[in-house]
mmCIF file of all heavy atoms in Angstrom:
data_model
loop_
_atom_site.group_PDB
_atom_site.id
_atom_site.type_symbol
_atom_site.label_atom_id
_atom_site.label_comp_id
_atom_site.label_asym_id
_atom_site.label_seq_id
_atom_site.Cartn_x
_atom_site.Cartn_y
_atom_site.Cartn_z
ATOM 1 N N THR A 851 104.114 106.130 120.428
ATOM 2 C CA THR A 851 104.445 107.419 121.053
ATOM 3 C C THR A 851 104.372 107.354 122.572
ATOM 4 O O THR A 851 104.900 108.212 123.258
ATOM 5 C CB THR A 851 103.488 108.506 120.539
ATOM 6 O OG1 THR A 851 102.137 108.090 120.774
ATOM 7 C CG2 THR A 851 103.702 108.736 119.044
ATOM 8 N N THR A 852 103.717 106.323 123.091
ATOM 9 C CA THR A 852 103.610 106.146 124.540
ATOM 10 C C THR A 852 103.979 104.721 124.901
ATOM 11 O O THR A 852 104.104 103.850 124.026
ATOM 12 C CB THR A 852 102.183 106.452 125.033
ATOM 13 O OG1 THR A 852 101.273 105.513 124.452
ATOM 14 C CG2 THR A 852 101.773 107.875 124.642
ATOM 15 N N THR A 853 104.146 104.463 126.165
ATOM 16 C CA THR A 853 104.484 103.108 126.617
ATOM 17 C C THR A 853 103.286 102.174 126.574
ATOM 18 O O THR A 853 103.443 100.954 126.619
ATOM 19 C CB THR A 853 105.027 103.143 128.061
ATOM 20 O OG1 THR A 853 104.054 103.780 128.910
ATOM 21 C CG2 THR A 853 106.336 103.912 128.117
ATOM 22 N N GLU A 854 102.084 102.721 126.470
ATOM 23 C CA GLU A 854 100.874 101.903 126.434
ATOM 24 C C GLU A 854 100.534 101.541 124.996
ATOM 25 O O GLU A 854 100.443 102.401 124.117
ATOM 26 C CB GLU A 854 99.711 102.665 127.071
ATOM 27 C CG GLU A 854 98.434 101.825 127.183
ATOM 28 C CD GLU A 854 97.306 102.577 127.876
ATOM 29 O OE1 GLU A 854 97.568 103.648 128.437
ATOM 30 O OE2 GLU A 854 96.172 102.075 127.837
ATOM 31 N N LEU A 855 100.347 100.257 124.765
ATOM 32 C CA LEU A 855 100.052 99.754 123.424
ATOM 33 C C LEU A 855 98.556 99.821 123.162
ATOM 34 O O LEU A 855 97.749 99.370 123.964
ATOM 35 C CB LEU A 855 100.534 98.301 123.291
ATOM 36 C CG LEU A 855 100.312 97.606 121.953
ATOM 37 C CD1 LEU A 855 101.125 98.270 120.855
ATOM 38 C CD2 LEU A 855 100.695 96.124 122.063
ATOM 39 N N THR A 856 98.175 100.378 121.993
ATOM 40 C CA THR A 856 96.765 100.470 121.620
ATOM 41 C C THR A 856 96.423 99.415 120.570
ATOM 42 O O THR A 856 97.314 98.877 119.894
ATOM 43 C CB THR A 856 96.432 101.860 121.060
ATOM 44 O OG1 THR A 856 97.141 102.054 119.820
ATOM 45 C CG2 THR A 856 96.832 102.956 122.048
ATOM 46 N N GLY A 857 95.132 99.144 120.429
ATOM 47 C CA GLY A 857 94.688 98.169 119.438
ATOM 48 C C GLY A 857 94.996 98.612 118.022
ATOM 49 O O GLY A 857 95.335 97.788 117.165
ATOM 50 N N GLN A 858 94.911 99.892 117.734
ATOM 51 C CA GLN A 858 95.203 100.408 116.397
ATOM 52 C C GLN A 858 96.681 100.203 116.048
ATOM 53 O O GLN A 858 97.016 99.796 114.929
ATOM 54 C CB GLN A 858 94.848 101.889 116.317
ATOM 55 C CG GLN A 858 95.068 102.487 114.925
ATOM 56 C CD GLN A 858 94.733 103.968 114.877
ATOM 57 O OE1 GLN A 858 94.472 104.584 115.897
ATOM 58 N NE2 GLN A 858 94.732 104.538 113.685
ATOM 59 N N GLN A 859 97.562 100.488 116.990
ATOM 60 C CA GLN A 859 98.987 100.292 116.757
ATOM 61 C C GLN A 859 99.302 98.821 116.522
ATOM 62 O O GLN A 859 100.094 98.476 115.643
ATOM 63 C CB GLN A 859 99.783 100.825 117.956
ATOM 64 C CG GLN A 859 99.735 102.327 118.120
ATOM 65 C CD GLN A 859 100.329 102.790 119.432
ATOM 66 O OE1 GLN A 859 100.440 102.007 120.384
ATOM 67 N NE2 GLN A 859 100.725 104.049 119.496
ATOM 68 N N MET A 860 98.684 97.956 117.304
ATOM 69 C CA MET A 860 98.868 96.508 117.154
ATOM 70 C C MET A 860 98.406 96.047 115.773
ATOM 71 O O MET A 860 99.078 95.251 115.105
ATOM 72 C CB MET A 860 98.077 95.784 118.245
ATOM 73 C CG MET A 860 98.225 94.281 118.223
ATOM 74 S SD MET A 860 99.795 93.756 118.932
ATOM 75 C CE MET A 860 99.545 91.978 119.004
ATOM 76 N N PHE A 861 97.268 96.557 115.330
ATOM 77 C CA PHE A 861 96.712 96.159 114.031
ATOM 78 C C PHE A 861 97.619 96.610 112.892
ATOM 79 O O PHE A 861 97.914 95.841 111.981
ATOM 80 C CB PHE A 861 95.315 96.764 113.871
ATOM 81 C CG PHE A 861 94.695 96.492 112.526
ATOM 82 C CD1 PHE A 861 94.155 95.252 112.225
ATOM 83 C CD2 PHE A 861 94.680 97.477 111.541
ATOM 84 C CE1 PHE A 861 93.596 94.990 110.985
ATOM 85 C CE2 PHE A 861 94.118 97.234 110.306
ATOM 86 C CZ PHE A 861 93.577 95.985 110.017
ATOM 87 N N ILE A 862 98.089 97.866 112.954
ATOM 88 C CA ILE A 862 98.946 98.399 111.887
ATOM 89 C C ILE A 862 100.259 97.615 111.818
ATOM 90 O O ILE A 862 100.704 97.214 110.736
ATOM 91 C CB ILE A 862 99.227 99.900 112.118
ATOM 92 C CG1 ILE A 862 97.943 100.712 111.962
ATOM 93 C CG2 ILE A 862 100.286 100.408 111.143
ATOM 94 C CD1 ILE A 862 98.080 102.173 112.328
ATOM 95 N N ALA A 863 100.870 97.378 112.978
ATOM 96 C CA ALA A 863 102.150 96.662 113.009
ATOM 97 C C ALA A 863 102.004 95.232 112.485
ATOM 98 O O ALA A 863 102.841 94.754 111.712
ATOM 99 C CB ALA A 863 102.701 96.651 114.433
ATOM 100 N N THR A 864 100.934 94.561 112.886
ATOM 101 C CA THR A 864 100.712 93.177 112.428
ATOM 102 C C THR A 864 100.442 93.129 110.936
ATOM 103 O O THR A 864 100.936 92.241 110.231
ATOM 104 C CB THR A 864 99.530 92.551 113.190
ATOM 105 O OG1 THR A 864 99.766 92.638 114.598
ATOM 106 C CG2 THR A 864 99.352 91.094 112.803
ATOM 107 N N LEU A 865 99.669 94.092 110.434
ATOM 108 C CA LEU A 865 99.363 94.148 109.001
ATOM 109 C C LEU A 865 100.633 94.354 108.191
ATOM 110 O O LEU A 865 100.863 93.661 107.180
ATOM 111 C CB LEU A 865 98.370 95.276 108.723
ATOM 112 C CG LEU A 865 97.592 95.211 107.400
ATOM 113 C CD1 LEU A 865 96.722 93.964 107.349
ATOM 114 C CD2 LEU A 865 96.756 96.474 107.223
ATOM 115 N N VAL A 866 101.478 95.270 108.638
ATOM 116 C CA VAL A 866 102.740 95.517 107.932
ATOM 117 C C VAL A 866 103.644 94.290 108.006
ATOM 118 O O VAL A 866 104.307 93.933 107.027
ATOM 119 C CB VAL A 866 103.449 96.758 108.516
ATOM 120 C CG1 VAL A 866 104.855 96.901 107.942
ATOM 121 C CG2 VAL A 866 102.640 98.013 108.243
ATOM 122 N N SER A 867 103.678 93.614 109.141
ATOM 123 C CA SER A 867 104.493 92.397 109.292
ATOM 124 C C SER A 867 104.073 91.322 108.303
ATOM 125 O O SER A 867 104.913 90.704 107.637
ATOM 126 C CB SER A 867 104.383 91.864 110.721
ATOM 127 O OG SER A 867 104.922 92.760 111.653
ATOM 128 N N LEU A 868 102.766 91.093 108.211
ATOM 129 C CA LEU A 868 102.258 90.046 107.318
ATOM 130 C C LEU A 868 102.509 90.381 105.856
ATOM 131 O O LEU A 868 102.930 89.523 105.067
ATOM 132 C CB LEU A 868 100.767 89.821 107.570
ATOM 133 C CG LEU A 868 100.411 89.167 108.923
ATOM 134 C CD1 LEU A 868 98.903 89.156 109.130
ATOM 135 C CD2 LEU A 868 100.967 87.750 108.983
ATOM 136 N N PHE A 869 102.263 91.629 105.472
ATOM 137 C CA PHE A 869 102.477 92.020 104.080
ATOM 138 C C PHE A 869 103.969 92.013 103.732
ATOM 139 O O PHE A 869 104.338 91.617 102.616
ATOM 140 C CB PHE A 869 101.878 93.404 103.820
ATOM 141 C CG PHE A 869 100.433 93.362 103.420
ATOM 142 C CD1 PHE A 869 99.445 93.714 104.312
ATOM 143 C CD2 PHE A 869 100.049 92.946 102.150
ATOM 144 C CE1 PHE A 869 98.102 93.654 103.959
ATOM 145 C CE2 PHE A 869 98.710 92.893 101.783
ATOM 146 C CZ PHE A 869 97.732 93.243 102.684
ATOM 147 N N SER A 870 104.808 92.425 104.669
ATOM 148 C CA SER A 870 106.251 92.388 104.422
ATOM 149 C C SER A 870 106.743 90.953 104.291
ATOM 150 O O SER A 870 107.542 90.635 103.407
ATOM 151 C CB SER A 870 106.994 93.098 105.558
ATOM 152 O OG SER A 870 106.633 94.455 105.639
ATOM 153 N N GLY A 871 106.255 90.066 105.170
ATOM 154 C CA GLY A 871 106.620 88.656 105.080
ATOM 155 C C GLY A 871 106.149 88.032 103.778
ATOM 156 O O GLY A 871 106.864 87.247 103.155
ATOM 157 N N PHE A 872 104.931 88.409 103.358
ATOM 158 C CA PHE A 872 104.402 87.900 102.089
ATOM 159 C C PHE A 872 105.249 88.376 100.914
ATOM 160 O O PHE A 872 105.535 87.607 99.985
ATOM 161 C CB PHE A 872 102.956 88.365 101.909
ATOM 162 C CG PHE A 872 102.336 87.944 100.603
ATOM 163 C CD1 PHE A 872 101.873 86.656 100.411
ATOM 164 C CD2 PHE A 872 102.243 88.839 99.550
ATOM 165 C CE1 PHE A 872 101.314 86.259 99.207
ATOM 166 C CE2 PHE A 872 101.685 88.461 98.335
ATOM 167 C CZ PHE A 872 101.214 87.160 98.164
ATOM 168 N N PHE A 873 105.687 89.634 100.958
ATOM 169 C CA PHE A 873 106.530 90.178 99.882
ATOM 170 C C PHE A 873 107.864 89.451 99.812
ATOM 171 O O PHE A 873 108.332 89.070 98.728
ATOM 172 C CB PHE A 873 106.748 91.678 100.103
ATOM 173 C CG PHE A 873 107.602 92.328 99.053
ATOM 174 C CD1 PHE A 873 107.088 92.644 97.809
ATOM 175 C CD2 PHE A 873 108.937 92.611 99.318
ATOM 176 C CE1 PHE A 873 107.882 93.236 96.837
ATOM 177 C CE2 PHE A 873 109.736 93.203 98.355
ATOM 178 C CZ PHE A 873 109.210 93.521 97.110
ATOM 179 N N VAL A 874 108.497 89.232 100.974
ATOM 180 C CA VAL A 874 109.774 88.511 101.004
ATOM 181 C C VAL A 874 109.598 87.089 100.462
ATOM 182 O O VAL A 874 110.413 86.611 99.664
ATOM 183 C CB VAL A 874 110.336 88.479 102.439
ATOM 184 C CG1 VAL A 874 111.568 87.565 102.516
ATOM 185 C CG2 VAL A 874 110.698 89.876 102.907
#
C-alpha cells in the first residue's frame, strides 16, 4: 500500500512464492 517495504509484507510474499513454486 506504500512505497516502503515492511518485514511482514516481505515474509508474506516470500511464503506465497515458495508454496506456489512447491505446488507447481
